[in-house]
């Protein structure tokens, strides 16, 4: 057991206590950040005259050697150490001797772990944004190919008005775009360096916190040392943003599951993204979509867990905060793999344009447009609504659709109907007349698609 303390103790730590307290099993993930932070710390100490240049050089070289050896698989992270910080320091001292004992001057594990987590999460925020951008480009590609793929738009899962597949996917483009923007917001707020906060009250050494912050690409140092070691807001924000990503993917998955069903057959999930049944030979199940939907609960769990852990903690550092890691790492891994698989599933999704279009023609998705037609002929909207309601009832009884009725049948219900009704309620007209920005009409849609292209190019 390598532990960094013990001087004031007269007894060995109980084995169970040691294991319960240890975090190396999961904080080993912060190895690179820990080494980077330590190298910066000694550079700063030397610049301030707290360490000599030769002490700096041998500590930095020692740390770099540890990094190289772990990366190359020559050195195994020793899981009998209490945490990743103890491992790096013990290994350093083993390699370079007493000078290694100067590494921790003017630093506490409290600001050290706060730094390591920030460095790690900062990278992950960027990585999540990158994965979201890949998802957005696949969505955009599908939008571009389906500006004239007509389908029913739904409310209450009932056919409402015709839209296009481009428009439907466009809704998700907006959602995932906002998710990406949330990553950028989090980055802006979190990119301040806690190193130098010490255990809670700063240190008596003349540290140059601006310098450390600058070396690691932070905007500057954090402004309150107690807050610096106890702030997990940025992580909670990140979990909230990841929960939102999952919520959006989960809704999308739910639709794909419905659309992929035998009843709908709007889309077909590629064989590579489906699974079979061990008993029913005919089955091709949308397991990936279901798993993404299912894993959403797990990510929400991480958010709730962190909020609950933090809610009663007095300032400053408390060991409870060590609980920030396992759940957030798990949530992060989950979200990243879900985005990758979901992107692949969409990219290979087969769209059944005919089924969608046929479905949009049956089910009276053009009823509003038929009412609007009568309004254009001078009938007040409320009356037109009633007339079309009766027309729909007539069609249901005859098992037909508005556009399949003869002019005589139409005129029997309202004298206002003329030949031009067929054009007015055709699927194409219903969609293409919706031209205001944000609506599904092709012209409006193409303008939005152009904006999306610009956004993904990065010159938004
Ligand atoms: N493993 C601890 C954590 O994750 C590191 C900080 C420990 N500090 C302390 N005073 N015990 O929070």
């Amino acid at each position: 057991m390598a532990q960094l303390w013990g001087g004031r103790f007269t007894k060995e730590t109980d084995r169970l206590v040691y294991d319960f307290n240890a975090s190396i099993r999961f904080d080993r993930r912060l190895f690179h950040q820990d080494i980077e932070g330590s190298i910066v710390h000694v550079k700063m100490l030397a610049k301030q005259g707290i360490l000599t240049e030769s002490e700096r050089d041998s500590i930095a070289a020692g740390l770099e050697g540890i990094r190289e050896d772990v990366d190359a698989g020559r050195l195994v992270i020793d899981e009998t150490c209490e945490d990743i910080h103890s491992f790096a320091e013990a290994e350093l001292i083993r390699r370079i001797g007493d000078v290694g004992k100067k590494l921790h001057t003017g630093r506490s594990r409290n600001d050290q772990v706060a730094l390591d987590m920030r460095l790690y999460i900062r990278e992950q925020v960027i990585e999540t944004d990158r994965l979201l951008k890949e998802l957005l480009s696949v969505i955009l590609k599908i939008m571009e190919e389906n500006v004239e793929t007509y389908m029913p738009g739904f409310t209450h899962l009932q056919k409402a008005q015709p839209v296009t597949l481009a428009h439907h996917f466009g809704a998700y483009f907006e959602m995932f775009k906002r998710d990406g923007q949330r990553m950028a917001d989090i980055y802006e707020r979190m990119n301040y360096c806690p190193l130098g906060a010490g255990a809670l009250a700063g240190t008596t050494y003349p540290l140059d916190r601006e310098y450390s912050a600058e070396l690691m690409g932070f905007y500057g140092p954090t402004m309150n040392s107690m807050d610096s070691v106890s702030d997990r807001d940025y992580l909670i924000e990140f979990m909230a943003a990841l929960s939102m990503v999952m919520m959006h993917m989960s809704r999308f998955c739910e639709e794909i599951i419905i659309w992929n069903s035998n009843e709908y057959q709007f889309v077909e999930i590629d064989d590579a993204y489906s699974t079979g049944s061990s008993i029913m030979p005919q089955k091709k199940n949308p397991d990936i979509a279901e798993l993404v939907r299912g894993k959403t609960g797990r990510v929400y769990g991480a958010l709730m867990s962190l909020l609950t852990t933090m809610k009663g903690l007095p300032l400053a550092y408390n060991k409870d905060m060590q609980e920030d890691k396992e759940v957030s790492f798990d949530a992060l891994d989950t979200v990243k793999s879900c985005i990758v698989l979901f992107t692949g599933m969409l990219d290979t999704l087969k769209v059944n344009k005919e089924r969608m279009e046929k479905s949009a023609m049956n089910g009276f998705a053009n009823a509003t447009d038929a009412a609007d037609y009568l309004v254009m002929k001078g009938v007040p909207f409320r009356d037109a609504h009633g007339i079309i309601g009766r027309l729909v009832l007539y069609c249901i009884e005859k098992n037909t659709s508005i556009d399949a009725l003869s002019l005589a049948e139409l005129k029997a219900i309202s004298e206002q109907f003329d030949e031009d009704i067929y054009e007015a309620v055709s699927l194409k007209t219903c969609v293409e007349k919706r031209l205001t920005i944000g609506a599904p009409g092709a012209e409006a849609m193409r303008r939005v698609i152009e904006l999306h292209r610009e956004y993904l190019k990065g010159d938004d």
Side-chain angles (χ1 to χ4, degrees):
M1 323 200 276
Q3 61 188 26
L4 299 172
W5 39 272
R8 62 100 67 215
F9 289 76
T10 54
K11 250 176 145 178
E12 282 265 314
T13 320
D14 181 273
R15 183 80 237 177
L16 281 178
V17 172
Y18 184 85
D19 290 344
F20 188 68
N21 193 47
S23 53
I24 193 154
R25 192 172 42 80
F26 45 88
D27 67 18
R28 53 175 296 152
R29 186 187 284 237
L30 303 173
F31 172 69
H32 284 107
Q33 290 73 19
D34 200 67
I35 298 286
E36 183 192 349
S38 290
I39 292 175
V40 165
H41 184 61
V42 291
K43 280 188 184 160
M44 182 278 295
L45 291 177
K47 177 181 160 292
Q48 297 304 95
I50 304 164
L51 291 186
T52 66
E53 288 186 358
S54 92
E55 286 168 338
R56 173 196 64 199
D57 293 344
S58 64
I59 295 176
L63 290 168
E64 266 152 22
I66 296 172
R67 178 162 61 195
E68 277 162 28
D69 288 350
V70 167
D71 286 350
R74 287 187 296 268
L75 173 66
V76 175
I77 294 177
D78 177 4
E79 291 211 356
T80 64
C81 293
E82 182 185 340
D83 52 32
I84 194 63
H85 327 296
S86 320
F87 164 73
E89 193 174 324
E91 180 62 22
L92 179 72
I93 295 166
R94 199 186 63 73
R95 289 185 177 209
I96 66 169
D98 278 354
V99 61
K101 295 181 181 167
K102 296 194 172 186
L103 164 65
H104 210 51
T105 312
R107 188 175 71 169
S108 153
R109 272 186 297 167
N110 296 352
D111 60 344
Q112 188 177 356
V113 76
L115 172 68
D116 292 1
M117 272 299 272
R118 271 193 201 232
L119 286 171
Y120 177 74
I121 297 299
R122 187 175 72 170
E123 261 172 42
Q124 295 304 317
V125 165
I126 295 171
E127 174 63 4
T128 308
D129 190 31
R130 190 186 68 74
L131 293 174
L132 284 170
K133 289 248 162 67
E134 282 182 7
L135 169 58
L136 284 174
S137 3
V138 168
I139 294 179
L140 186 58
K141 187 196 77 183
I142 297 170
M143 288 171 71
E144 284 164 344
E145 292 165 0
N146 290 286
V147 173
E148 278 161 28
T149 304
Y150 302 116
M151 64 174 287
F154 298 86
T155 60
H156 313 272
L157 210 51
Q158 309 265 343
K159 288 177 198 174
Q161 290 174 344
V163 294
T164 64
L165 188 65
H167 193 245
H168 197 114
F169 270 51
Y172 285 102
F173 190 100
E174 300 296 331
M175 296 178 227
F176 293 120
K177 179 181 168 190
R178 288 194 295 272
D179 288 335
Q181 290 168 333
R182 261 184 278 279
M183 296 302 147
D185 293 345
I186 293 168
Y187 187 94
E188 283 304 298
R189 240 186 318 280
M190 74 172 287
N191 195 28
Y192 292 88
C193 183
L195 190 62
L200 77 161
T203 74
T204 53
Y205 297 95
L207 307 184
D208 185 344
R209 295 193 57 213
E210 277 80 9
Y211 180 70
S212 304
E214 197 190 315
L215 288 186
M216 289 181 281
F218 287 106
Y219 297 144
T222 50
M223 286 294 136
N224 181 292
S225 59
M226 290 175 80
D227 176 53
S228 308
V229 292
S230 18
D231 167 29
R232 298 294 181 272
D233 292 8
Y234 70 93
L235 193 57
I236 294 175
E237 273 190 61
F238 188 38
M239 291 300 119
L242 292 183
S243 296
M244 196 92 82
V245 172
M246 290 305 292
M247 182 269 286
H248 289 149
M249 273 197 292
S250 184
R251 289 182 78 175
F252 209 162
C253 283
E254 170 71 7
E255 296 199 307
I256 287 168
I257 292 164
I258 294 173
W259 293 359
N260 185 64
S261 68
N262 199 37
E263 286 68 24
Y264 273 74
Q265 296 176 32
F266 280 10
V267 295
E268 191 185 338
I269 299 176
D270 194 71
D271 277 5
Y273 286 86
S274 311
T275 49
S277 157
S278 61
I279 173 167
M280 298 166 281
Q282 83 281 14
K283 288 282 224 143
K284 204 177 115 183
N285 295 328
D287 288 29
I288 298 306
E290 289 171 4
L291 270 175
V292 171
R293 189 178 60 183
K295 285 174 191 290
T296 303
R298 181 160 159 184
V299 177
Y300 291 2
L303 172 63
M304 285 309 130
S305 167
L306 279 184
L307 284 168
T308 312
T309 299
M310 295 305 291
K311 75 180 267 292
L313 296 189
L315 292 177
Y317 179 83
N318 298 271
K319 196 61 177 257
D320 314 47
M321 289 173 178
Q322 180 167 288
E323 285 294 307
D324 64 352
K325 293 177 195 63
E326 279 166 292
V327 285
S328 60
F329 292 164
D330 177 73
L332 177 63
D333 295 346
T334 302
V335 176
K336 286 198 297 185
S337 68
C338 285
I339 301 177
V340 170
L341 280 150
F342 183 73
T343 303
M345 183 179 70
L346 280 193
D347 203 16
T348 51
L349 193 70
K350 248 207 260 89
V351 174
N352 190 342
K353 297 189 185 190
E354 293 79 55
R355 282 287 296 202
M356 285 187 168
E357 190 163 331
K358 222 168 128 208
S359 168
M361 301 212 315
N362 306 323
F364 311 103
N366 56 1
T368 315
D369 296 83
D372 289 344
Y373 168 87
L374 290 178
V375 170
M376 199 187 68
K377 299 271 168 173
V379 181
F381 181 77
R382 195 47 59 212
D383 293 340
H385 188 282
I387 294 167
I388 302 300
R390 288 200 296 282
L391 191 62
V392 167
L393 192 60
Y394 177 78
C395 289
I396 292 171
E397 278 160 6
K398 289 201 64 184
N399 192 23
T400 184
S401 59
I402 298 176
D403 37 296
L405 295 177
S406 69
L407 192 56
E409 283 174 299
L410 288 165
K411 277 198 182 288
I413 291 180
S414 168
E415 262 308 311
Q416 306 295 332
F417 284 120
D418 254 315
E419 261 315 317
D420 55 351
I421 176 65
Y422 297 106
E423 168 70 23
V425 297
S426 84
L427 207 47
K428 196 169 163 62
T429 315
C430 292
V431 173
E432 298 315 336
K433 273 199 331 220
R434 292 180 153 79
L435 283 176
T436 50
I437 195 76
E443 210 179 295
M445 204 65 238
R446 289 206 176 91
R447 274 162 67 197
V448 171
I449 285 176
E450 193 46 46
L451 293 174
H452 290 347
R453 271 197 212 110
E454 296 294 310
Y455 175 74
L456 286 184
K457 264 195 268 148
D459 43 11
D460 192 27

